[in-house]
Amino acid sequence: MEAFVGNGGTRTEQIDKAAERRGLFIRKKKLMLNQADILYIESRAKKVEIHVLDAAESIEIYAAMEALGERLGGDFYRCHRAYLVNMAHIAGYGNDSITLSNGAQVPMAKKRHKAFVEAYQNYLRNGGVSSV
């Protein structure tokens, strides 16, 4: 299993990033989540499950993965047609899966592996924080 350890980011930068909140507007409802607490998002038919750090259950909403990916920005990567992962919670990765900080394994499409490695390395180089 390959893994990269982030080369930095001060604690202040980590706290600033953790404090960032994004509003997700879904069918006239407003869902406010701390972006740093989202581990990954999984698509199931027309619903998505938002898996959040330290939550007993995932949050289930009707939404399109593409729209969520655009709203969440560059700290999230679409590693599979049904999965968006928060790069701040990546603990390691292999050719066909990503391991997150809570131990969850998320599948990675083989055709997206090379682009993922490049995106993750850019994320770390630009001050992103690794969970390793």
Side-chain angles (χ1 to χ4, degrees):
M1 177 180 282
E2 301 173 65
F4 290 93
V5 177
N7 58 350
T10 65
R11 184 70 184 146
T12 303
E13 289 170 344
Q14 292 172 12
I15 291 168
D16 289 345
K17 192 166 223 158
E20 182 178 346
R21 295 180 73 80
R22 300 275 177 142
L24 303 176
F25 297 92
I26 290 85
R27 295 189 187 211
K28 299 182 183 178
K29 292 182 182 178
K30 187 174 182 180
L31 175 63
M32 291 297 288
L33 289 174
N34 186 340
Q35 181 174 328
D37 290 341
I38 299 172
L39 292 165
Y40 67 99
I41 300 173
E42 179 180 4
S43 174
R44 293 181 181 241
K46 295 185 182 205
K47 291 184 178 180
V48 295
E49 290 183 14
I50 302 173
H51 298 267
V52 182
L53 191 65
D54 299 328
E57 295 181 10
S58 60
I59 300 165
E60 199 171 85
I61 59 173
Y62 287 95
M65 289 290 278
E66 189 172 325
L68 286 175
E70 289 173 8
R71 288 179 192 245
L72 291 168
D75 289 350
F76 284 76
Y77 187 80
R78 191 153 184 192
C79 60
H80 185 280
R81 67 184 169 95
Y83 291 89
L84 271 167
V85 296
N86 185 342
M87 290 200 269
H89 287 285
I90 294 174
Y93 62 88
N95 290 328
D96 61 354
S97 67
I98 297 171
T99 304
L100 299 172
S101 59
N102 69 342
Q105 294 256 319
V106 174
M108 180 170 15
K110 289 182 183 184
K111 67 180 182 179
R112 297 186 188 196
H113 182 266
K114 183 177 178 183
F116 165 76
V117 172
E118 291 172 9
Y120 189 55
Q121 288 176 343
N122 276 339
Y123 168 79
L124 294 175
R125 273 194 295 268
N126 291 321
V129 180
S130 172
S131 288
V132 178

